[in-house]
Amino acid sequence: MTNAASPPPAQKGGSVQSSYLHHYACFRCRKSFKRASRTEAVLPCPECGGPSIGLTRKFKPPKRSDEKQWRKVEALVRHGFLFWSLNEPYPETLKEVAAFAQRHAAFIAAERAKNPEAYREIDAALSPSG
Ligand SMILES: [Zn+2]
């Protein structure tokens, strides 16, 4: 039998399946950027130079025009949620965020205790003066 194997598809430099990419969300631009790894808690947004927050692969960025959804995402991140899988779906609307945060307060406290420096960067990035 001849070797019928077709050549592998050409690989672009640094191309990674999008499901393996992490999102960095910029709340000023209401945009997210993909990076191959989430080694930094906060990176400068390539668009505006402001802070963008590293979120998990679970994060699905809303449309840029969907200001309400972006406000909800920002509220979640301010509470400390970086879009890990939890035992319930993430809230659909901004007004559900407070109760959601309360239900997972212990989890968030543990995450903050584990990653104090990352959360310091995130909190600073989201502070109004910053
Ligand atoms: Zn930006």
Side-chain angles (χ1 to χ4, degrees), residues 14-75:
S15 171
V16 190
Q17 274 191 359
S18 71
S19 60
Y20 292 109
L21 292 173
H22 291 271
H23 291 278
Y24 279 80
C26 173
F27 297 115
R28 284 186 208 173
C29 302
R30 296 200 297 273
K31 273 187 155 186
S32 78
F33 308 93
K34 294 189 185 121
R35 292 290 178 269
S37 63
R38 193 163 64 87
T39 50
E40 306 285 336
V42 178
L43 282 177
C45 165
E47 196 103 339
C48 70
S52 62
I53 313 296
L55 303 173
T56 72
R57 293 188 272 259
K58 291 280 287 180
F59 174 63
K60 301 263 194 317
K63 283 191 195 136
R64 195 178 184 188
S65 57
D66 198 343
E67 200 175 330
K68 274 187 191 166
Q69 284 300 306
W70 275 106
R71 288 227 304 272
K72 179 200 74 181
V73 170
E74 184 172 1

Side-chain angles (χ1 to χ4, degrees), residues 38 41 54-56 76-86 90 101 104-123:
R38 193 163 64 87
L55 303 173
T56 72
L76 283 163
V77 174
R78 280 178 187 278
H79 277 289
F81 294 98
L82 303 181
F83 289 83
W84 316 271
S85 296
L86 295 173
Y90 274 67
H104 297 285
F107 174 78
I108 289 296
E111 285 297 319
R112 283 182 179 274
K114 266 191 278 179
N115 304 293
E117 278 167 38
Y119 275 101
R120 228 186 338 264
E121 281 184 51
I122 292 167
D123 289 343

